[in-house]
mmCIF file with all atom_site columns, all heavy atoms in Angstrom:
data_model
loop_
_atom_site.group_PDB
_atom_site.id
_atom_site.type_symbol
_atom_site.label_atom_id
_atom_site.label_alt_id
_atom_site.label_comp_id
_atom_site.label_asym_id
_atom_site.label_entity_id
_atom_site.label_seq_id
_atom_site.pdbx_PDB_ins_code
_atom_site.Cartn_x
_atom_site.Cartn_y
_atom_site.Cartn_z
_atom_site.occupancy
_atom_site.B_iso_or_equiv
_atom_site.pdbx_formal_charge
_atom_site.auth_seq_id
_atom_site.auth_comp_id
_atom_site.auth_asym_id
_atom_site.auth_atom_id
_atom_site.pdbx_PDB_model_num
ATOM 1  N N   . ASN A 1 2  ? -17.833 15.336 95.155  1.00 0.00 ? 2  ASN A N   1
ATOM 2  C CA  . ASN A 1 2  ? -19.136 14.381 95.526  1.00 0.00 ? 2  ASN A CA  1
ATOM 3  C C   . ASN A 1 2  ? -18.642 13.262 96.333  1.00 0.00 ? 2  ASN A C   1
ATOM 4  O O   . ASN A 1 2  ? -17.428 13.086 96.585  1.00 0.00 ? 2  ASN A O   1
ATOM 5  C CB  . ASN A 1 2  ? -19.862 13.920 94.183  1.00 0.00 ? 2  ASN A CB  1
ATOM 6  C CG  . ASN A 1 2  ? -18.876 13.115 93.335  1.00 0.00 ? 2  ASN A CG  1
ATOM 7  O OD1 . ASN A 1 2  ? -18.020 12.347 93.824  1.00 0.00 ? 2  ASN A OD1 1
ATOM 8  N ND2 . ASN A 1 2  ? -19.226 13.092 92.011  1.00 0.00 ? 2  ASN A ND2 1
ATOM 9  N N   . LYS A 1 3  ? -19.556 12.495 96.849  1.00 0.00 ? 3  LYS A N   1
ATOM 10 C CA  . LYS A 1 3  ? -19.227 11.387 97.738  1.00 0.00 ? 3  LYS A CA  1
ATOM 11 C C   . LYS A 1 3  ? -18.330 10.380 97.196  1.00 0.00 ? 3  LYS A C   1
ATOM 12 O O   . LYS A 1 3  ? -17.451 9.826  97.766  1.00 0.00 ? 3  LYS A O   1
ATOM 13 C CB  . LYS A 1 3  ? -20.579 10.790 98.269  1.00 0.00 ? 3  LYS A CB  1
ATOM 14 C CG  . LYS A 1 3  ? -21.392 11.690 99.165  1.00 0.00 ? 3  LYS A CG  1
ATOM 15 C CD  . LYS A 1 3  ? -22.663 10.976 99.575  1.00 0.00 ? 3  LYS A CD  1
ATOM 16 C CE  . LYS A 1 3  ? -23.597 11.824 100.363 1.00 0.00 ? 3  LYS A CE  1
ATOM 17 N NZ  . LYS A 1 3  ? -24.880 11.151 100.788 1.00 0.00 ? 3  LYS A NZ  1
ATOM 18 N N   . GLU A 1 4  ? -18.621 10.076 95.933  1.00 0.00 ? 4  GLU A N   1
ATOM 19 C CA  . GLU A 1 4  ? -17.845 8.920  95.148  1.00 0.00 ? 4  GLU A CA  1
ATOM 20 C C   . GLU A 1 4  ? -16.417 9.433  95.085  1.00 0.00 ? 4  GLU A C   1
ATOM 21 O O   . GLU A 1 4  ? -15.469 8.655  95.321  1.00 0.00 ? 4  GLU A O   1
ATOM 22 C CB  . GLU A 1 4  ? -18.477 8.569  93.884  1.00 0.00 ? 4  GLU A CB  1
ATOM 23 C CG  . GLU A 1 4  ? -19.747 7.902  94.018  1.00 0.00 ? 4  GLU A CG  1
ATOM 24 C CD  . GLU A 1 4  ? -20.973 8.796  94.241  1.00 0.00 ? 4  GLU A CD  1
ATOM 25 O OE1 . GLU A 1 4  ? -20.781 10.098 94.021  1.00 0.00 ? 4  GLU A OE1 1
ATOM 26 O OE2 . GLU A 1 4  ? -21.964 8.313  94.727  1.00 0.00 ? 4  GLU A OE2 1
ATOM 27 N N   . ARG A 1 5  ? -16.177 10.762 94.686  1.00 0.00 ? 5  ARG A N   1
ATOM 28 C CA  . ARG A 1 5  ? -14.718 11.119 94.535  1.00 0.00 ? 5  ARG A CA  1
ATOM 29 C C   . ARG A 1 5  ? -14.020 11.195 95.788  1.00 0.00 ? 5  ARG A C   1
ATOM 30 O O   . ARG A 1 5  ? -12.846 10.820 96.006  1.00 0.00 ? 5  ARG A O   1
ATOM 31 C CB  . ARG A 1 5  ? -14.714 12.481 93.799  1.00 0.00 ? 5  ARG A CB  1
ATOM 32 C CG  . ARG A 1 5  ? -15.048 12.325 92.434  1.00 0.00 ? 5  ARG A CG  1
ATOM 33 C CD  . ARG A 1 5  ? -14.932 13.852 91.660  1.00 0.00 ? 5  ARG A CD  1
ATOM 34 N NE  . ARG A 1 5  ? -13.609 14.216 91.685  1.00 0.00 ? 5  ARG A NE  1
ATOM 35 C CZ  . ARG A 1 5  ? -13.218 15.440 91.349  1.00 0.00 ? 5  ARG A CZ  1
ATOM 36 N NH1 . ARG A 1 5  ? -14.128 16.331 91.122  1.00 0.00 ? 5  ARG A NH1 1
ATOM 37 N NH2 . ARG A 1 5  ? -11.932 15.797 91.526  1.00 0.00 ? 5  ARG A NH2 1
ATOM 38 N N   . LEU A 1 6  ? -14.714 11.584 96.877  1.00 0.00 ? 6  LEU A N   1
ATOM 39 C CA  . LEU A 1 6  ? -14.170 11.704 98.209  1.00 0.00 ? 6  LEU A CA  1
ATOM 40 C C   . LEU A 1 6  ? -13.798 10.253 98.586  1.00 0.00 ? 6  LEU A C   1
ATOM 41 O O   . LEU A 1 6  ? -12.714 10.076 99.207  1.00 0.00 ? 6  LEU A O   1
ATOM 42 C CB  . LEU A 1 6  ? -15.140 12.363 99.132  1.00 0.00 ? 6  LEU A CB  1
ATOM 43 C CG  . LEU A 1 6  ? -14.534 12.483 100.625 1.00 0.00 ? 6  LEU A CG  1
ATOM 44 C CD1 . LEU A 1 6  ? -13.270 13.354 100.670 1.00 0.00 ? 6  LEU A CD1 1
ATOM 45 C CD2 . LEU A 1 6  ? -15.599 13.081 101.503 1.00 0.00 ? 6  LEU A CD2 1
ATOM 46 N N   . GLY A 1 7  ? -14.697 9.312  98.471  1.00 0.00 ? 7  GLY A N   1
ATOM 47 C CA  . GLY A 1 7  ? -14.436 7.981  98.868  1.00 0.00 ? 7  GLY A CA  1
ATOM 48 C C   . GLY A 1 7  ? -13.252 7.360  98.164  1.00 0.00 ? 7  GLY A C   1
ATOM 49 O O   . GLY A 1 7  ? -12.383 6.769  98.787  1.00 0.00 ? 7  GLY A O   1
ATOM 50 N N   . GLY A 1 41 ? -18.681 5.870  99.328  1.00 0.00 ? 41 GLY A N   1
ATOM 51 C CA  . GLY A 1 41 ? -19.453 7.024  98.909  1.00 0.00 ? 41 GLY A CA  1
ATOM 52 C C   . GLY A 1 41 ? -20.872 7.012  99.468  1.00 0.00 ? 41 GLY A C   1
ATOM 53 O O   . GLY A 1 41 ? -21.788 7.629  98.950  1.00 0.00 ? 41 GLY A O   1
ATOM 54 N N   . TYR A 1 44 ? -20.930 10.776 104.568 1.00 0.00 ? 44 TYR A N   1
ATOM 55 C CA  . TYR A 1 44 ? -19.751 11.667 104.910 1.00 0.00 ? 44 TYR A CA  1
ATOM 56 C C   . TYR A 1 44 ? -19.597 11.477 106.481 1.00 0.00 ? 44 TYR A C   1
ATOM 57 O O   . TYR A 1 44 ? -18.531 11.994 106.986 1.00 0.00 ? 44 TYR A O   1
ATOM 58 C CB  . TYR A 1 44 ? -20.051 13.058 104.593 1.00 0.00 ? 44 TYR A CB  1
ATOM 59 C CG  . TYR A 1 44 ? -20.010 13.485 103.154 1.00 0.00 ? 44 TYR A CG  1
ATOM 60 C CD1 . TYR A 1 44 ? -21.098 13.844 102.468 1.00 0.00 ? 44 TYR A CD1 1
ATOM 61 C CD2 . TYR A 1 44 ? -18.670 13.596 102.629 1.00 0.00 ? 44 TYR A CD2 1
ATOM 62 C CE1 . TYR A 1 44 ? -21.040 14.235 101.156 1.00 0.00 ? 44 TYR A CE1 1
ATOM 63 C CE2 . TYR A 1 44 ? -18.674 13.985 101.260 1.00 0.00 ? 44 TYR A CE2 1
ATOM 64 C CZ  . TYR A 1 44 ? -19.737 14.360 100.577 1.00 0.00 ? 44 TYR A CZ  1
ATOM 65 O OH  . TYR A 1 44 ? -19.744 14.721 99.248  1.00 0.00 ? 44 TYR A OH  1
#
Side-chain angles (χ1 to χ4, degrees):
N2 64 32
K3 290 180 186 178
E4 290 80 18
R5 287 185 64 194
L6 180 60
Y44 286 110

